[in-house]
Amino acid sequence: MPELHWKTAITKVEPNKICIRGYRLDDLIGKVSYGQMVYLVLKGEMPSEADGKLMEAILVSSIDHGATPPSALTAITVASTGATLNASVAAGILAISKFHGGAIEECMLLLKYGMEKIISQGSSIKQAVQQVISEYRNEKKRLSGFGHRLHTDDPRTKKLFTLAEKCDVSGRYIQLIREFESELAQSLGKKLPINVDGAIAALLCELDFDPILANAFFMIARIPGLVAHIYEENTRYKPMRIIHPSDVEYDGPDEREW
Amino acid sequence: MPELHWKTAITKVEPNKICIRGYRLDDLIGKVSYGQMVYLVLKGEMPSEADGKLMEAILVSSIDHGATPPSALTAITVASTGATLNASVAAGILAISKFHGGAIEECMLLLKYGMEKIISQGSSIKQAVQQVISEYRNEKKRLSGFGHRLHTDDPRTKKLFTLAEKCDVSGRYIQLIREFESELAQSLGKKLPINVDGAIAALLCELDFDPILANAFFMIARIPGLVAHIYEENTRYKPMRIIHPSDVEYDGPDEREW
Amino acid sequence: MPELHWKTAITKVEPNKICIRGYRLDDLIGKVSYGQMVYLVLKGEMPSEADGKLMEAILVSSIDHGATPPSALTAITVASTGATLNASVAAGILAISKFHGGAIEECMLLLKYGMEKIISQGSSIKQAVQQVISEYRNEKKRLSGFGHRLHTDDPRTKKLFTLAEKCDVSGRYIQLIREFESELAQSLGKKLPINVDGAIAALLCELDFDPILANAFFMIARIPGLVAHIYEENTRYKPMRIIHPSDVEYDGPDEREW
Amino acid sequence: MPELHWKTAITKVEPNKICIRGYRLDDLIGKVSYGQMVYLVLKGEMPSEADGKLMEAILVSSIDHGATPPSALTAITVASTGATLNASVAAGILAISKFHGGAIEECMLLLKYGMEKIISQGSSIKQAVQQVISEYRNEKKRLSGFGHRLHTDDPRTKKLFTLAEKCDVSGRYIQLIREFESELAQSLGKKLPINVDGAIAALLCELDFDPILANAFFMIARIPGLVAHIYEENTRYKPMRIIHPSDVEYDGPDEREW
């Protein structure tokens, strides 16, 4: 029998005591926000309250985008066959990949590559951005995080950036992505605005997350939305209905203030 | 071609405007907690701040329980084969089912059944609990939400109930589950304490959630934990290692205060 | 450390020797059909050649049913997001559940229940069938395995039963399901023909499989079909297209003989 | 509403008539093997009987490899939580990825790259192989399809190649992979024998399949094995047991002849 002993640095579980990254879980319940906990469990350190607020904002901004994204369609198609909740949720998660959510990671890589140019070459932001755009074009790589099928001025982007200003983030990645936006506008002759993936990418760079975790935030944020669609499917429709991917009308509460 | 037009009451997406259950998403970002949003998207109404706090507490309490629960083992086993993040997360979700997380739903059904007896028969809490226990025993049904392999006094339970008292919940389901706990102790001659599943079940009853959603809260809460384990697997270990299900040692930060 | 030693009765793997249910795998390659292997690995015994033929026929009959069943739609929706092959296939599998494929298990339970009545009560087939139908109706349970949205005379059913006659199956479950079909026709005043799920259910009863494995045969058989649809999606269409669930036209080879 | 009409070249479904790649399904049932059907649905043409035999042999050879591969461990871990059959199978499929099964695709790419060199440069097999090995080493790429943790002389490889000789395959990819094997032996000073992934890769090249489908054959073949392990878990063990990944003993039938 080989030696199979191994180690984990995330959570220590002992009788009547659970410590996450060194902090007693029962001390944290009621004291920290879920956004702070997500940061803690993934990065290993407790964020400032401001960074925790940013995390919550990111999660809130991505909780749902209606019934037509492929993750929602997949989840309700599976739910409609009589599958269990976990099977329906898992199927939705499987649809969150390269082209659905994946732009966050690609945009983080773009921003980190630009920032590296600024730091290592001492370029100005403008120079770095122009150079990166030109390199991407030469290699026929897509610049992710800009433009949206539906939103020409994504309300989530604006709000996330406003909030970031109020929190203690440095803002250098936000400045950088805005420079990309204006360079793109100039070179294309039309605005290709920062979309929500781009906004989240900039914030996750500010919070210094590893880009390979990018899509995780989208998955974490979107699960409650997927569950809501699955629950609606199970309680409102009969099994095995044919689900149209776009001919769907909203009939919930009218717009209201909170 | 059949008429396939259908309706959803969750989210309205229009150009540059997203409304969730009637509330503009950009109004909510930075203003409400993620816990409130989870409640909103699932129940259709915005919770009070207190109920939102309770939601966050539930999510915080369940974010991780080490590397040995089957959902974590499944996620890292799949990650170890070189699978993508979404595949690894989905596999972990598939392990959250009847016997892993499922106790929350079963305990909610138990509590709701007890409450129904109290209301419809005018029984005292004690009578109702005794009657339900005896019925469950006759039908050889398990009473879920009590006892834990490891924790004889689950620190999460105590904290969640303390917090609930501070918030505006009625407390009648907490009172009810405590009555179950004492009746069980008496009839068994040893304490079978309320576990975290039982505590969450009581709180979700207080918040009036449908029991069929119970496991959803566990899935929502646990995803960041699964991601942390997957990330650790991918960055710390080489692919295809043989993963022992219990011989794992914690080597993260020492216990610390926050 | 608890004693974790455990046992499996399926496959013995030693250096340079693999035995499945006792048979050397290298002896079987090229000698037995895949249908025989499926039977062997699931039941523990090697089937007769005739029963192996029946297994192959069952698998062949269910390999694909076009792009519109929910398992195919789920698989291609996930594939369209840029997901990996295993993620796309797994999503398709998740759609094979209670209402999609599940009729095979329900029909096996129906047939076994009827057969039990015949054996234990000494009823005639006709009496047993009438009694079962009446019981199901009283309990508002669906009689699965009859009727099809599209096929009034399912070509697969006829062929599977013709083939079964040529093989060495007893035929008593085929006789039984046919009796159900005629009783239903008489009591409903219109034909509700045995569908492919019903036909497969009868054959799996003849082969004495456990009903809880029923949907496994559908999954095993359908995987190549799912892969074909995923491959077509990836090679023929661009990512993230909106996939209509029924407005799809066949443009492959014209009907041809083999 | 955008025009969503689309096309598929796989299966035509009409009332009482199903044609797969142009062939009537009811004509095929009982006439062709499942291996032939897998080939037909994936490649679009009916294979010769010999190629069909090879397909069946590939599927038979990979149907199971005991309880310790990650796909089996994942499937039974999920099954042990009380998950449904489709959830357990899907979890197993998610573990079939880059490092588990993925060697088939990588070896196909290796062989196709070598064959291209032979054809385009007019190199001898030996020259081409030496050149490819040297290129792979310079780029630090792994040569997949050789060596096995357990089998020094994989019985499946030998049998698959013997069978291929009897069938009508050209044998040029088998010759090529054997040349890789001997060059590797010479340059490493010890034998690194063709494993079953390498053998299947060579056969799939002979059958002219697209390498991106490689892992599909492993998934198709292995599903019955996964189901067998899930069924054993559900019928033999109690839920939520701790599953050791290697301390498992075979207790099925003794070795026997067929």
Side-chain angles (χ1 to χ4, degrees):
Chain A
M1 197 67 42
E3 174 58 75
L4 295 175
H5 186 76
W6 61 289
K7 294 180 180 179
T8 177
I10 300 165
T11 299
K12 184 175 193 179
V13 178
E14 295 172 294
N16 305 324
K17 190 158 120 183
I18 299 157
C19 287
I20 294 191
R21 303 291 192 180
Y23 299 104
R24 288 186 65 130
L25 181 51
D26 50 331
D27 271 4
L28 301 179
I29 297 173
K31 202 149 103 191
V32 303
S33 71
Y34 185 65
Q36 283 175 292
M37 278 307 277
V38 172
Y39 185 112
L40 173 68
V41 82
L42 292 179
K43 291 228 346 181
E45 295 300 326
M46 185 64 81
S48 68
E49 219 176 292
D51 286 355
K53 268 200 200 335
L54 221 50
M55 287 294 303
E56 292 254 317
I58 290 170
L59 296 179
V60 166
S61 73
S62 303
I63 202 166
D64 197 52
H65 196 259
T68 62
S71 52
L73 287 172
T74 301
I76 61 176
T77 302
V78 169
S80 179
T81 68
T84 51
L85 179 62
N86 64 341
S88 309
V89 170
I93 291 284
L94 291 172
I96 297 179
S97 59
K98 195 174 170 200
F99 300 108
H100 181 25
I104 306 175
E105 180 175 347
E106 281 164 29
C107 184
M108 283 183 80
L109 293 171
L110 172 75
L111 296 176
K112 279 178 171 284
Y113 185 59
M115 190 57 76
E116 211 183 272
K117 277 215 179 318
I118 293 168
I119 292 165
S120 66
Q121 302 178 2
S123 328
S124 73
I125 296 190
K126 196 181 177 71
Q127 285 171 323
V129 164
Q130 285 175 336
Q131 217 181 320
V132 173
I133 290 178
S134 135
E135 286 181 29
Y136 265 61
R137 284 195 179 144
N138 289 340
E139 297 168 33
K140 302 208 152 117
K141 281 169 68 180
R142 211 164 65 106
L143 288 150
S144 292
F146 306 92
H148 196 279
R149 177 180 58 78
L150 191 66
H151 306 304
T152 54
D153 187 16
D154 198 310
R156 298 168 292 184
T157 298
K158 219 182 315 183
K159 197 56 187 290
L160 284 171
F161 284 173
T162 311
L163 194 76
E165 274 165 41
K166 284 198 219 151
C167 296
D168 62 350
V169 308
S170 77
R172 58 194 191 129
Y173 283 99
I174 296 174
Q175 203 187 339
L176 180 59
I177 197 170
R178 280 182 169 147
E179 188 65 32
F180 271 104
E181 189 186 37
S182 31
E183 280 299 325
L184 282 172
Q186 221 162 343
S187 71
L188 297 170
K190 61 161 191 167
K191 215 185 163 191
L192 205 62
I194 301 168
N195 59 31
V196 71
D197 293 329
I200 291 174
L203 297 191
L204 291 176
C205 283
E206 298 282 357
L207 295 171
D208 197 27
F209 275 104
D210 187 335
I212 66 173
L213 280 174
N215 228 349
F217 295 97
F218 186 57
M219 288 176 211
I220 295 168
R222 186 57 61 90
I223 297 267
L226 295 179
V227 172
H229 289 287
I230 293 163
Y231 187 66
E232 185 178 64
E233 185 65 35
N234 288 339
T235 52
R236 189 170 179 174
Y237 295 103
K238 60 181 208 296
M240 296 295 281
R241 73 179 175 103
I242 300 176
I243 299 169
H244 194 285
S246 59
D247 190 9
V248 52
E249 184 189 338
Y250 174 75
D251 70 346
D254 286 340
E255 199 174 326
R256 48 184 173 168
E257 299 265 322
W258 181 70
Chain B
M1 198 65 43
E3 174 57 76
L4 295 175
H5 186 75
W6 61 289
K7 294 179 180 180
T8 178
I10 300 165
T11 299
K12 184 175 192 179
V13 178
E14 296 172 294
N16 305 324
K17 190 157 120 183
I18 299 157
C19 287
I20 295 191
R21 303 292 194 180
Y23 299 104
R24 287 186 66 131
L25 181 51
D26 51 332
D27 271 3
L28 300 179
I29 297 172
K31 202 149 102 190
V32 304
S33 71
Y34 186 64
Q36 284 176 291
M37 278 306 276
V38 171
Y39 185 112
L40 173 68
V41 80
L42 292 179
K43 290 226 347 181
E45 295 301 325
M46 185 65 81
S48 68
E49 220 177 291
D51 286 355
K53 267 199 198 337
L54 221 50
M55 287 295 303
E56 293 254 317
I58 291 170
L59 296 180
V60 166
S61 73
S62 303
I63 202 166
D64 198 51
H65 197 259
T68 62
S71 52
L73 287 172
T74 302
I76 62 176
T77 302
V78 169
S80 178
T81 67
T84 51
L85 180 62
N86 64 341
S88 309
V89 170
I93 291 284
L94 291 172
I96 297 179
S97 59
K98 195 173 170 202
F99 300 108
H100 181 26
I104 306 175
E105 180 175 347
E106 280 164 28
C107 184
M108 283 183 80
L109 293 171
L110 172 75
L111 297 177
K112 280 180 171 282
Y113 184 59
M115 191 57 76
E116 210 183 273
K117 277 215 177 321
I118 293 168
I119 292 164
S120 67
Q121 303 177 3
S123 329
S124 72
I125 295 191
K126 197 182 178 69
Q127 285 172 323
V129 164
Q130 286 176 336
Q131 216 181 322
V132 173
I133 291 178
S134 136
E135 285 180 29
Y136 266 61
R137 284 196 177 143
N138 289 340
E139 296 169 32
K140 301 203 157 126
K141 281 169 67 180
R142 211 164 64 106
L143 287 150
S144 292
F146 305 92
H148 196 279
R149 177 180 58 77
L150 192 66
H151 306 304
T152 53
D153 187 16
D154 198 310
R156 297 167 293 184
T157 298
K158 219 183 315 184
K159 197 55 186 291
L160 284 171
F161 284 172
T162 311
L163 194 76
E165 274 165 41
K166 284 198 219 151
C167 295
D168 63 350
V169 308
S170 77
R172 56 193 191 130
Y173 283 99
I174 296 175
Q175 204 188 339
L176 180 59
I177 197 170
R178 279 182 170 147
E179 188 65 33
F180 270 104
E181 189 187 37
S182 32
E183 280 299 324
L184 281 172
Q186 222 162 345
S187 71
L188 297 170
K190 61 161 191 167
K191 215 185 164 191
L192 205 61
I194 301 168
N195 59 32
V196 71
D197 293 330
I200 292 174
L203 298 191
L204 292 175
C205 283
E206 298 282 357
L207 295 171
D208 198 27
F209 275 104
D210 187 336
I212 66 174
L213 281 174
N215 229 348
F217 295 97
F218 186 57
M219 289 176 210
I220 295 167
R222 188 54 63 90
I223 297 268
L226 295 179
V227 172
H229 289 287
I230 292 163
Y231 186 67
E232 186 179 62
E233 185 65 36
N234 288 339
T235 53
R236 189 170 180 175
Y237 295 103
K238 60 181 209 296
M240 296 295 281
R241 73 178 176 103
I242 300 177
I243 299 170
H244 194 285
S246 59
D247 190 9
V248 52
E249 183 190 338
Y250 174 76
D251 70 346
D254 285 340
E255 200 174 325
R256 48 184 172 168
E257 299 264 322
W258 181 71
Chain C
M1 197 64 45
E3 174 57 74
L4 295 175
H5 185 76
W6 61 289
K7 295 180 179 179
T8 178
I10 300 165
T11 299
K12 184 174 192 179
V13 179
E14 296 171 293
N16 304 325
K17 189 158 120 183
I18 300 157
C19 287
I20 294 190
R21 304 291 193 181
Y23 299 103
R24 289 186 65 133
L25 181 51
D26 50 331
D27 270 4
L28 301 179
I29 297 172
K31 201 150 103 190
V32 303
S33 71
Y34 186 64
Q36 282 175 294
M37 277 308 276
V38 172
Y39 185 111
L40 172 68
V41 81
L42 292 178
K43 291 227 346 182
E45 295 301 326
M46 185 64 82
S48 67
E49 220 177 292
D51 285 355
K53 268 198 198 338
L54 221 50
M55 287 294 304
E56 292 254 318
I58 290 171
L59 297 179
V60 166
S61 73
S62 302
I63 202 165
D64 197 52
H65 197 259
T68 62
S71 52
L73 287 172
T74 302
I76 62 176
T77 302
V78 169
S80 178
T81 68
T84 50
L85 178 63
N86 64 341
S88 309
V89 169
I93 291 284
L94 291 172
I96 297 180
S97 60
K98 195 175 169 198
F99 300 109
H100 180 26
I104 306 175
E105 180 175 348
E106 282 163 29
C107 183
M108 282 183 81
L109 293 171
L110 172 76
L111 297 177
K112 279 179 171 284
Y113 185 58
M115 191 57 76
E116 210 183 273
K117 277 214 181 317
I118 293 168
I119 293 165
S120 66
Q121 302 178 3
S123 327
S124 72
I125 296 190
K126 196 182 178 71
Q127 283 172 325
V129 165
Q130 286 175 338
Q131 217 181 321
V132 173
I133 290 178
S134 135
E135 286 180 30
Y136 266 60
R137 284 196 178 142
N138 289 341
E139 297 168 33
K140 300 201 158 126
K141 282 169 68 180
R142 211 163 64 106
L143 288 150
S144 293
F146 306 91
H148 196 279
R149 177 180 59 79
L150 192 65
H151 306 303
T152 52
D153 187 15
D154 198 309
R156 297 167 293 184
T157 299
K158 217 182 317 183
K159 196 56 185 290
L160 285 171
F161 284 172
T162 310
L163 194 75
E165 274 165 41
K166 283 198 218 151
C167 296
D168 63 349
V169 307
S170 77
R172 57 195 190 129
Y173 283 99
I174 296 174
Q175 203 188 340
L176 180 60
I177 197 170
R178 279 182 169 147
E179 187 66 33
F180 270 105
E181 189 187 37
S182 33
E183 279 300 323
L184 282 171
Q186 220 163 345
S187 71
L188 298 169
K190 62 161 189 167
K191 215 187 165 191
L192 205 61
I194 301 168
N195 59 31
V196 72
D197 293 329
I200 292 174
L203 297 192
L204 292 175
C205 283
E206 299 281 356
L207 295 171
D208 198 27
F209 275 104
D210 187 336
I212 67 175
L213 280 174
N215 228 347
F217 295 97
F218 186 57
M219 288 176 210
I220 294 167
R222 187 56 62 90
I223 298 268
L226 295 179
V227 172
H229 289 287
I230 292 164
Y231 186 67
E232 185 180 63
E233 185 65 36
N234 288 339
T235 51
R236 188 169 180 175
Y237 294 103
K238 59 181 209 295
M240 297 295 280
R241 74 179 174 103
I242 301 176
I243 298 169
H244 195 285
S246 59
D247 190 9
V248 52
E249 183 189 338
Y250 175 75
D251 70 347
D254 285 340
E255 200 174 325
R256 49 184 171 168
E257 298 265 322
W258 181 72
Chain D
M1 197 64 44
E3 173 58 73
L4 295 175
H5 185 77
W6 61 289
K7 294 178 181 180
T8 178
I10 301 165
T11 299
K12 184 174 193 179
V13 178
E14 296 172 293
N16 304 325
K17 188 158 121 184
I18 300 158
C19 287
I20 295 191
R21 303 292 193 180
Y23 298 104
R24 289 186 65 131
L25 180 51
D26 50 331
D27 270 4
L28 301 179
I29 297 173
K31 201 149 104 191
V32 303
S33 71
Y34 187 64
Q36 283 175 294
M37 277 308 276
V38 171
Y39 185 112
L40 172 68
V41 81
L42 292 178
K43 291 226 349 179
E45 294 301 326
M46 185 64 81
S48 67
E49 219 177 292
D51 286 355
K53 267 200 198 340
L54 221 51
M55 287 294 304
E56 292 255 317
I58 291 170
L59 297 179
V60 166
S61 74
S62 303
I63 202 165
D64 198 51
H65 197 258
T68 62
S71 52
L73 287 172
T74 301
I76 61 176
T77 302
V78 169
S80 179
T81 68
T84 50
L85 178 63
N86 63 342
S88 309
V89 170
I93 291 284
L94 291 171
I96 297 179
S97 59
K98 195 175 170 199
F99 299 109
H100 181 26
I104 306 175
E105 180 175 347
E106 282 163 28
C107 184
M108 282 184 81
L109 293 170
L110 172 75
L111 296 177
K112 279 179 171 284
Y113 185 58
M115 191 57 77
E116 210 183 274
K117 278 215 179 318
I118 293 167
I119 292 165
S120 67
Q121 302 177 4
S123 328
S124 73
I125 296 191
K126 196 181 178 70
Q127 284 172 325
V129 164
Q130 285 175 337
Q131 217 181 321
V132 173
I133 290 179
S134 136
E135 286 180 28
Y136 265 60
R137 284 196 179 143
N138 288 341
E139 297 168 33
K140 300 202 158 125
K141 281 169 68 179
R142 210 164 66 105
L143 288 150
S144 293
F146 305 92
H148 195 279
R149 176 181 58 78
L150 192 65
H151 306 304
T152 52
D153 187 16
D154 198 310
R156 297 167 293 184
T157 299
K158 217 182 317 182
K159 197 57 186 289
L160 285 171
F161 285 172
T162 310
L163 195 75
E165 274 165 42
K166 283 197 219 152
C167 296
D168 62 350
V169 308
S170 77
R172 57 196 190 128
Y173 282 100
I174 296 175
Q175 204 188 340
L176 179 60
I177 196 170
R178 279 184 169 145
E179 187 65 33
F180 270 104
E181 189 186 37
S182 31
E183 280 299 325
L184 282 171
Q186 221 162 345
S187 70
L188 298 169
K190 62 160 190 166
K191 215 186 164 192
L192 206 61
I194 301 167
N195 59 32
V196 71
D197 293 331
I200 291 174
L203 297 191
L204 292 175
C205 283
E206 299 282 357
L207 295 171
D208 197 27
F209 275 103
D210 187 336
I212 67 174
L213 280 174
N215 229 347
F217 295 97
F218 186 57
M219 289 176 211
I220 294 168
R222 187 55 63 89
I223 298 267
L226 296 178
V227 173
H229 289 287
I230 292 164
Y231 186 68
E232 185 179 63
E233 185 65 35
N234 288 338
T235 52
R236 189 170 180 174
Y237 294 104
K238 59 182 209 295
M240 296 294 281
R241 73 179 176 104
I242 301 176
I243 298 170
H244 194 285
S246 59
D247 190 9
V248 51
E249 183 190 338
Y250 174 75
D251 70 345
D254 286 340
E255 200 174 325
R256 47 184 172 168
E257 299 264 323
W258 182 71

